[in-house]
Amino acid sequence: MTKHEEDEIQVLGSPAGGKRPVRNRWLWGIVVLLLVAVACIVCWWCLPDRNNRPVGEKVFPNWEKNILQLDKKQQPLTDSATHARVSLLADTVNDVPMQLFVLEGTDVRLCIGLPSVQDTTLLMALPAADVRKDNLGIVGDFVLDGCRYGNGKRKEGYGALLQGQLFLGVSASDTVMNYCAERQGSFFRQYPLVIGGKIWPNRLKGKSLRRAVARKKDDPRVYVVLSRQRESLYDFSEALADYGMFDALYLPGGDAYAFCRTPQEILWLGTSQEHVYPNTSYLVFHK
């Protein structure tokens, strides 16, 4: 123990060398961090698109664009001045042979229940949303003429229908669905294959006869594309992107019931009604 003389003066409470106490340095550090956090919050709040993006919305390329088009009643996929017709094409991309149905001047609607092939106003009908095998419920968010029949967002792709127009996109929020429901439109979910010209990743494995509904950028026509042999979902998506599709949405394939009406005949794209249930929905193109 160090002894101090009686006349020695000691300065208490001040560390040697004039350094600040460790406690004070910690307090100043906390104050600086709080200021930085407040600055970040203010900057985020002031971002120009902050109030336009719904809470929980992932940053996807075209949900805002689709809302804008719907709001302005633009018609990106239908040219009403064109006589309703279906053209057939065949092509092979990346060793994937495809059959393409090009629809012009048609209206598009969603329905539940098997469409009648006897209805001569129908040009094409094919399944839209999937149906659960256990309880026969519709898989994913589903709205028909403003009424909601299903929910779920495991499949982030969607088809939105309003006033005979079809919009394809991808979003995990309810923004587009609610917009359509409020205006007595329709909405269904499926796997996105191509979005903004880029392949969208999917986890589905195996090979099957594939189907998709697609569109090209700045093209008023709708494309329904079928693979002519069993393909993986990735190879099919890659072929669609390389063919020039800007957006493409998966549709139930295989031999699922579907048909196309040409001036000459009815083409059966699938004849199986094994999985046709009361809740089976169809994408219908008509005059």
Side-chain angles (χ1 to χ4, degrees):
M1 179 180 297
T2 303
K3 295 183 178 180
H4 299 283
E5 300 297 332
E6 292 182 359
D7 59 349
E8 182 179 352
I9 299 175
Q10 299 183 57
V11 180
L12 302 177
S14 177
K19 295 182 179 179
R20 294 181 178 178
V22 174
R23 180 182 177 185
N24 288 348
R25 291 204 302 271
W26 274 104
L27 288 175
W28 278 109
I30 292 172
V31 170
V32 171
L33 288 176
L34 287 174
L35 291 174
V36 170
V38 170
C40 291
I41 292 172
V42 171
C43 291
W44 175 80
W45 188 270
C46 294
L47 286 174
D49 65 342
R50 184 257 172 199
N51 293 322
N52 294 327
R53 183 171 297 151
V55 175
E57 176 74 10
K58 293 183 180 179
V59 184
F60 290 125
N62 64 351
W63 75 267
E64 290 176 325
K65 177 196 67 177
N66 278 354
I67 285 292
L68 182 62
Q69 288 176 329
L70 288 166
D71 229 1
K72 293 184 177 180
K73 297 182 180 179
Q74 297 179 6
Q75 300 179 358
L77 299 179
T78 299
D79 184 356
S80 58
T82 302
H83 179 68
R85 63 181 181 181
V86 183
S87 304
L88 276 65
L89 300 174
D91 209 336
T92 299
V93 180
N94 302 335
D95 296 325
V96 176
M98 302 184 297
Q99 187 174 16
L100 297 96
F101 298 82
V102 186
L103 296 113
E104 301 179 73
T106 62
D107 280 347
V108 194
R109 64 180 173 87
L110 199 60
C111 73
I112 294 178
L114 202 62
S116 173
V117 72
Q118 305 302 324
D119 186 348
T120 58
T121 66
L122 301 187
L123 295 180
M124 196 170 195
L126 56 167
D130 288 313
V131 175
R132 293 176 60 97
K133 294 182 180 180
D134 53 357
N135 61 12
L136 304 185
I138 297 174
V139 177
D141 294 325
F142 189 92
V143 174
L144 179 64
D145 299 332
C147 297
R148 188 165 184 174
Y149 293 90
N151 59 78
K153 296 172 178 58
R154 187 170 66 88
K155 300 176 180 181
E156 294 174 327
Y158 67 78
L161 299 96
L162 192 66
Q163 298 181 358
Q165 311 304 310
L166 172 64
F167 297 83
L168 306 177
V170 62
S171 172
S173 83
D174 293 334
T175 306
V176 178
M177 180 188 67
N178 289 340
Y179 187 97
C180 291
E182 291 167 0
R183 292 158 178 79
Q184 287 69 55
S186 300
F187 181 97
F188 71 97
R189 286 197 179 275
Q190 265 298 352
Y191 295 107
L193 302 180
V194 178
I195 296 296
K198 305 295 183 181
I199 300 172
W200 193 266
N202 283 291
R203 292 174 292 178
L204 288 182
K205 304 298 181 183
K207 293 187 176 183
S208 179
L209 294 173
R210 304 295 185 182
R211 295 178 187 168
V213 60
R215 65 182 177 89
K216 295 184 177 181
K217 189 175 184 179
D218 301 323
D219 188 339
R221 299 172 294 181
V222 180
Y223 294 79
V224 172
V225 187
L226 283 63
S227 69
R228 290 187 287 163
Q229 63 185 28
R230 298 171 67 87
E231 304 288 351
S232 70
L233 203 59
Y234 180 85
D235 289 345
F236 186 54
S237 301
E238 184 180 46
L240 292 171
D242 289 347
Y243 190 78
M245 298 304 179
F246 191 72
D247 293 318
L249 193 68
Y250 172 88
L251 294 177
D255 194 36
Y257 181 87
F259 66 86
C260 174
R261 185 187 308 277
T262 70
Q264 295 78 29
E265 59 180 333
I266 293 177
L267 300 177
W268 293 99
L269 313 181
T271 57
S272 173
Q273 297 188 27
E274 178 183 359
H275 300 296
V276 173
Y277 306 111
N279 272 344
T280 301
S281 61
Y282 288 86
L283 196 60
V284 177
F285 299 85
H286 58 94
K287 299 177 182 178

